[in-house]
Amino acid sequence: MRRLNRKKTLNLMKELDAFPKVPESYVETSASGGTVSLIAFTTIAFLTIMEFMVYQDTWMKYEYEVDKDFTSKLRINIDITVAMRCQYVGADVLDLAETMVASADGLIYEPVPFELTPQQKELQRMLQIIQSRLQEEHSLQDVIFKSAFKSASTALPPREDNSLQSPDACRIHGHLYVNKVAGNFHITVGKAIPHPRGHAHLAALVSHESYNFSHRIDHLSFGELIPGIINPLDGTEKIASDHNQMFQYFITVVPTKLHTYKISAETHQFSVTERERVINHAAGSHGVSGIFMKYDISSLMVTVTEEHMPFWQFLVRLCGIIGGIFSTTGILHGFGRFVAEIIFCRFRLGSYRSTSDPLPDGHTSNHLPLITDNSTH
């Protein structure tokens, strides 16, 4: 009974077979068919390898929503070197709510030489090249997101020489926590002191000839500090051409949630516009000498997610490649044979007409002469 059921099952499966069966006596092999088959198999192999490489790769998906978090604090990570002695400069933040954040809470003033060592210059030059490429090719930002925590830190390496040169600059580095509202982080002459109507800086005791706001921004970021992420102002260096010079950076900060296969973090991206001018009250250019970074918080939040092609989609695309190439090459091969047969038929017909015999009355004979046994001798 079991064998009988198996035979019935096999017969049923044979009846349900929808694929055409061509007898071997109907199949004709040819050199052109073999060439087309070789080309088809080579193309399939090449496209399959390329499709597998696409399947292994990932891409970044960007989604936008309204940022509803207004109560948390915003962290500002700072590493700026100013070409003035530390006792002459002061840094602080003043937001729209007239709330001053004292620099002593999280910033460190470190006397250093303004001139970089060869190793530090090499890293700064590399950062400047990356920044120029990022401005031209924005898709490179996706590569930086995916390589976060894997690449080397963007911070300057420590000085490898024990230079006896006296420190002529001040490195201001550390972090601050501010309210999530627009504000102004600035570095100017004199230490900041609180004031009932805002704040002020003790600049009267500093000689005007000592003003030099040439500076280098080794790092500036907002939010969680993520090694390997390159920010728009990293590696920036500005040299002042006058003692009374103001450098302004207008920054728009966008809250960002980053989810990749390596990390999951909440950070902030930002765009920046730069401006610099010489303070000259006689010429109508008013202001205060220093470095001013005015930032504004965007109301939109970006969620950046690293995505991968599903395996079922890879199989569907692979089947489409194989089936499409087989169908296309079959159609092209059939059409090529059809055109070749038409051309060869006309060629043979022309050769046949040129070998016909003329008749006495001017007509031509389209019949070939008969071959008899006597003609072979």
Side-chain angles (χ1 to χ4, degrees):
M1 291 295 293
R2 292 182 178 178
R3 291 182 179 179
L4 183 60
N5 291 334
R6 290 179 180 176
K7 289 182 179 181
K8 290 182 178 180
T9 303
L10 291 175
N11 292 332
L12 180 61
M13 296 300 294
K14 290 180 179 179
E15 292 178 359
L16 292 175
D17 192 355
F19 294 97
K21 301 297 183 293
V22 180
E24 294 184 0
S25 59
Y26 292 171
V27 178
E28 179 183 358
T29 60
S30 61
S32 61
T35 303
V36 172
S37 298
L38 183 61
I39 295 175
F41 285 124
T42 304
T43 306
I44 289 174
F46 174 74
L47 293 181
T48 300
I49 295 174
M50 297 297 296
E51 189 66 26
F52 182 73
M53 294 175 63
V54 173
Y55 171 71
Q56 285 186 319
D57 196 12
T58 59
W59 62 89
M60 308 305 292
K61 179 181 179 181
Y62 292 81
E63 297 178 335
Y64 302 88
E65 59 180 314
V66 177
D67 185 16
K68 301 178 181 179
D69 183 12
F70 302 103
T71 58
S72 63
K73 295 290 186 176
L74 175 63
R75 171 171 169 159
I76 305 179
N77 307 293
I78 301 165
D79 191 351
I80 302 176
T81 302
V82 185
M84 292 180 64
R85 297 186 181 276
C86 291
Q87 61 266 28
Y88 295 158
V89 295
D92 63 313
V93 177
L94 187 67
D95 60 23
L96 289 181
E98 298 297 331
T99 302
M100 189 184 76
V101 179
S103 61
D105 293 341
L107 294 182
I108 300 173
Y109 292 77
E110 179 184 353
V112 295
F114 189 77
E115 185 70 19
L116 295 175
T117 63
Q119 183 181 3
Q120 292 174 334
K121 287 183 178 179
E122 183 65 23
L123 179 61
Q124 186 190 31
R125 189 182 66 85
M126 181 191 70
L127 286 176
Q128 292 174 350
I129 293 175
I130 294 176
Q131 295 289 8
S132 62
R133 293 296 301 274
L134 284 173
Q135 294 176 3
E136 299 174 358
E137 303 177 21
H138 300 285
S139 60
L140 291 178
Q141 186 64 47
D142 294 350
V143 180
I144 294 177
F145 281 150
K146 289 189 288 186
S147 62
F149 278 147
K150 294 194 303 182
S151 58
S153 175
T154 56
L156 283 178
R159 301 185 69 91
E160 67 274 8
D161 59 346
N162 296 323
S163 177
L164 299 177
Q165 179 184 359
S166 61
D168 58 350
C170 183
R171 179 191 176 197
I172 304 174
H173 60 99
H175 62 273
L176 296 171
Y177 287 95
V178 299
N179 299 321
K180 289 189 68 174
V181 295
N184 181 6
F185 170 77
H186 52 271
I187 302 174
T188 187
V189 179
K191 300 298 180 181
I193 57 174
H195 192 272
R197 296 184 179 180
H199 75 296
H201 289 262
L202 294 174
L205 302 179
V206 182
S207 172
H208 186 271
E209 286 73 16
S210 302
Y211 289 14
N212 184 4
F213 285 99
S214 301
H215 62 280
R216 183 177 61 251
I217 304 176
D218 298 322
H219 181 78
L220 179 70
S221 64
F222 297 82
E224 183 179 349
L225 186 60
I226 302 178
I229 297 296
I230 299 177
N231 298 279
L233 287 177
D234 292 353
T236 301
E237 185 176 80
K238 299 290 184 179
I239 303 299
S241 58
D242 191 272
H243 293 291
N244 283 339
Q245 192 153 353
M246 173 189 288
F247 297 90
Q248 292 177 303
Y249 300 92
F250 301 93
I251 300 173
T252 302
V253 183
V254 181
T256 304
K257 291 183 178 180
L258 183 61
H259 301 286
T260 68
Y261 290 103
K262 299 295 182 181
I263 63 171
S264 180
E266 293 186 6
T267 182
H268 291 72
Q269 301 180 83
F270 66 90
S271 60
V272 60
T273 302
E274 304 176 12
R275 182 189 177 191
E276 58 182 83
R277 60 188 176 92
V278 176
I279 303 300
N280 188 349
H281 298 286
S285 178
H286 304 291
V288 179
S289 304
I291 305 166
F292 297 86
M293 298 183 178
K294 299 181 179 181
Y295 60 89
D296 192 9
I297 312 298
S298 174
S299 59
L300 292 179
M301 181 174 61
V302 182
T303 301
V304 185
T305 308
E306 185 178 6
E307 292 194 345
H308 188 273
M309 181 188 297
F311 184 70
W312 64 267
Q313 187 175 354
F314 169 70
L315 291 179
V316 171
R317 292 165 63 99
L318 195 61
C319 292
I321 289 174
I322 297 174
I325 290 178
F326 269 121
S327 301
T328 304
T329 53
I331 293 173
L332 294 177
H333 180 244
F335 180 75
R337 290 189 62 181
F338 175 73
V339 173
E341 288 178 357
I342 293 178
I343 295 174
F344 287 144
C345 285
R346 289 184 176 180
F347 178 75
R348 290 175 182 175
L349 183 60
S351 299
Y352 171 72
R353 286 178 177 177
S354 63
T355 57
S356 58
D357 297 331
L359 296 177
D361 57 355
H363 295 281
T364 58
S365 175
N366 294 327
H367 300 283
L368 293 174
L370 296 177
I371 299 176
T372 60
D373 295 337
N374 295 330
S375 61
T376 59
H377 297 287

